[in-house]
Amino acid sequence: MLRLGVNIDHVATIRNARGTPWPDPLRAARIAEEAGADGITAHLREDRRHISDSDIDALMAGLRLPLNFEMAATAEMQTIALRHRPHAVCIVPEKREERTTEGGLDVAGNDDALARYIAPLRDAGSRVSLFIGHEPRQIQAAARIGAAVVELHTGAYCDYDTEGRLSERDAELAALREGAALAASLGLEVHAGHGLTFDTVGPIAAIPELMELNIGHFLIAESVFTGLGPAIREMRRRMDEARA
Ligand code: PXP
């Protein structure tokens, strides 16, 4: 069974464009649940450009699905995560000037600091996930420091597909497959996400070691035309079809 985590950050982006209370990310999360999502992902960025602290409060209080709380490895975010104890904490690299999370975390280069950082989160009962690229040394480092999960960054694969750079796309897909197999062989639960669309989800969903995909921007974009529930159901259908 491949789980679908719906990332609702960009519901908050639209809300924040006008400073109104709508559209409400919690309402989006409830619709996602009805449409068959298995979890909700929300990224509380340091600059609060989309999800806010009060959104996290509302999601923790009002959500039945497990929350995957995405955050940078800062002291402030650790305090917030320890207060809420979400189902999962996904640690991502964060740069203030980036439009979206551009690359994976450098676990291999920061293994001691990250091991110390994730220990209290794990002790508090959250599953710790590290958002990384498919390089073997990053995957090995994630296993070494005791992460439960790695989420493999599918952004480059999706960008190559959009740009029609098909041989690079296929090489990236092959590397993601190898990365997923290595991670699973080391006892890590393997997730993937970033940039996935109806067109790109199939080959990723077909990777047998993957347990969860986290998808946001495309679903929120598609919901402008079809509604959020139908967009999620169609994504779910394509994921299931790829697995069948
Ligand atoms: N997974 C992680 C770790 C992310 O940072 C993001 C983007 O916030 C996603 C998945 C979802 O990416 P997208 O919004 O492009 O589907």
Side-chain angles (χ1 to χ4, degrees):
M1 166 70 186
L2 179 61
R3 297 191 300 266
L4 171 60
V6 172
N7 180 316
I8 55 169
D9 292 350
H10 297 304
V11 177
T13 302
I14 297 171
R15 176 196 60 196
N16 296 358
R18 291 295 294 273
T20 53
W22 54 82
D24 174 16
L26 179 59
R27 182 172 169 199
R30 294 216 169 106
I31 291 170
E33 179 171 12
E34 280 165 24
D38 302 291
I40 297 296
T41 293
H43 182 180
L44 184 66
R45 290 187 81 103
E46 193 189 2
D47 63 9
R48 312 303 200 264
R49 69 173 72 157
H50 38 57
I51 292 293
S52 66
D53 297 70
S54 58
D55 288 329
I56 298 296
D57 294 345
L59 289 166
M60 284 302 298
L63 193 65
R64 282 183 297 263
L65 291 177
L67 179 68
N68 178 33
F69 178 60
E70 251 187 62
M71 59 179 222
T74 65
E76 182 200 19
M77 290 300 153
Q78 191 189 52
T79 302
I80 294 170
L82 290 174
R83 190 166 72 240
H84 286 298
R85 301 172 176 233
H87 166 76
V89 170
C90 180
I91 314 278
V92 302
E94 202 175 291
K95 287 195 257 92
R96 200 172 265 266
E97 62 281 8
E98 71 192 353
R99 255 201 241 161
T100 182
T101 313
E102 279 167 358
L105 208 55
D106 180 14
V107 186
N110 297 288
D111 52 353
D112 286 345
L114 272 171
R116 280 194 300 276
Y117 186 85
I118 68 174
L121 298 166
R122 198 178 46 216
D123 294 347
S126 293
R127 284 178 75 69
V128 175
S129 169
L130 303 177
F131 188 47
I132 60 173
H134 49 60
E135 301 82 14
R137 68 190 192 98
Q138 300 295 352
I139 295 166
Q140 284 152 354
R144 198 167 59 238
I145 70 168
V149 180
V150 286
E151 180 169 332
L152 300 180
H153 198 313
T154 53
Y157 154 76
C158 293
D159 288 345
Y160 289 140
D161 185 79
T162 306
E163 293 161 13
R165 295 161 66 179
L166 302 187
S167 60
E168 286 152 297
R169 176 199 65 185
D170 293 347
E172 190 64 22
L173 182 60
L176 286 164
R177 281 198 195 105
E178 282 171 26
L182 173 63
S185 76
L186 296 173
L188 292 157
E189 184 175 314
V190 197
H191 301 177
H194 210 282
L196 292 168
T197 66
F198 288 159
D199 288 340
T200 50
V201 76
I204 297 294
I207 298 173
E209 292 85 3
L210 289 182
M211 304 286 286
E212 180 175 307
L213 301 184
N214 285 301
I215 308 179
H217 181 258
F218 178 83
L219 288 173
I220 305 308
E222 193 64 13
S223 74
V224 171
F225 305 109
T226 66
L228 185 57
I232 291 169
R233 282 192 195 91
E234 176 60 13
M235 189 63 84
R236 176 84 264 169
R237 189 191 68 73
R238 288 176 188 238
M239 287 165 57
D240 293 344
E241 187 180 70
R243 270 291 159 107

